[in-house]
Amino acid sequence: MTHRVPPRANDGSGAVSGHGLFLALEGVEGVGKTTQARLLGEWLGELGLPYTLAREPGGTPVGEAIRQVLLDSGAMAVPDETELLLMLAARAAFVRGVVLPTLKRGEVMVTDRFELSTFAYQGAGRGLPLDRIRSLNAFATGGVRPDLTLVFDVPVEHGQARQRAAGKLQDRIEGEGNAFLERVRAGYLAMAAKDESVVVIDAGPPEDQVHARVRELLQLRFPEPFRPTRG
Ligand code: T5A
């Protein structure tokens, strides 16, 4: 049996309300977002909640093509402004092609990265003006915002060590080095401190413990449809 997400009242946050549930997973490289997205998807499946799992940049054919340019561009020079606009171009397609249809069906949308990545990487990391990023991002998303964003957090070196252990090669942005990634991490933490729809989760413990914390949080924030079960 599958269940739809029950309608919720508009809380004035700007999120798409009344339809579906929009969750974004965020954090610096190697914190375990992809792992947590997979575990969350498995749990949603167990609960009988239809969901869509996608990543940014990407999620649509044009988004995946932009991802290749952005992350695998090798020696090609990509000015910071170009990087920002390409991220947002991919997001515009992602919102219209994936996020909105999922929410309109009353399902759960789980995305591995969304707008906070842009504020953290292109804003805090690259130093592009945040006000400008916010208004361009609002144009790209049409104002669609996650109901909840989970920022997984570990020290930068810890995330890099996980990536090395997994044999993952650094992409163009990850190759910016530690000072850049420290600014990104600080950006995430600063945004979480100001916005109650953004919650920081300590991603240092083993995967299953981090996932248990995710469940707990979702059950607390959204009693429907994540009603705790006994046992
Ligand atoms: N970007 C993106 C921008 O600059 N602006 C934007 O607007 C957007 C949307 C995307 C890049 O694009 C940039 C940011 C990024 O640089 P990506 O590949 O999507 O790149 O993102 P990464 O962060 O690089 O993804 P990773 O796969 O490297 O990291 P994850 O998803 O955080 O980590 P995960 O789950 O793959 O785990 C890494 C390893 O750690 C282990 C896993 O088994 C795996 O081996 N692990 C754990 N080990 C111990 N304890 C735990 N709790 C663990 N959890 C996972």
Side-chain angles (χ1 to χ4, degrees):
M1 186 168 66
T2 57
H3 306 278
R4 302 286 142 183
V5 179
R8 280 164 294 115
N10 191 330
D11 60 3
S13 67
V16 174
S17 58
H19 303 279
L21 181 69
F22 186 12
L23 305 173
L25 278 46
E26 292 276 2
V28 290
E29 336 290 328
V31 288
K33 298 174 302 299
T34 310
T35 305
Q36 291 304 321
R38 177 178 52 76
L39 294 173
L40 177 55
E42 286 169 11
W43 184 47
L44 293 172
E46 284 165 26
L47 292 173
L49 290 169
Y51 67 94
T52 297
L53 184 59
R55 66 175 182 183
E56 270 220 304
T60 63
V62 69
E64 289 296 329
I66 292 174
R67 180 184 177 94
Q68 267 213 310
V69 171
L70 279 169
L71 303 185
D72 307 331
S73 53
M76 186 168 34
V78 181
D80 295 347
E81 291 78 2
T82 304
E83 181 179 279
L84 168 68
L85 293 169
L86 286 173
M87 291 290 178
L88 297 179
R91 182 160 307 140
F94 180 58
V95 167
R96 286 153 188 83
V98 180
V99 177
L100 283 175
T102 301
L103 297 177
K104 282 181 181 153
R105 289 194 301 271
E107 299 179 3
V108 183
M109 179 72 228
V110 180
T111 180
D112 188 341
R113 297 191 179 282
F114 194 64
E115 61 183 16
L116 242 62
S117 284
T118 315
F119 303 146
Y121 283 79
Q122 281 65 51
R126 300 284 192 214
L128 293 175
L130 261 177
D131 286 352
R132 183 63 66 88
I133 298 178
R134 281 189 207 286
S135 73
L136 290 168
N137 178 66
F139 178 65
T141 61
V144 174
R145 296 199 62 221
D147 294 291
L148 182 67
T149 299
L150 303 175
V151 175
F152 295 94
D153 184 59
V154 292
V156 164
E157 303 76 33
H158 198 144
Q160 288 172 326
R162 283 181 183 176
Q163 280 185 319
R164 273 196 302 277
K168 192 183 171 213
L169 295 176
Q170 286 194 321
D171 62 45
R172 188 182 58 81
I173 296 177
E174 289 161 3
E176 285 298 326
N178 280 21
F180 173 80
L181 292 175
E182 292 290 359
R183 290 198 296 278
V184 171
R185 181 183 182 212
Y188 272 125
L189 297 178
M191 287 185 283
K194 285 193 218 141
D195 183 343
E196 63 175 28
S197 73
V198 180
V199 177
V200 178
I201 292 189
D202 177 7
E207 293 171 11
D208 56 338
Q209 287 180 27
V210 178
H211 175 60
R213 177 75 190 114
V214 170
R215 284 190 184 203
E216 204 177 86
L217 225 143
L218 290 175
Q219 286 169 332
L220 196 69
R221 288 264 176 152
F222 309 106
E224 288 290 340
F226 299 108
R227 208 178 293 114
T229 48
R230 289 166 205 272

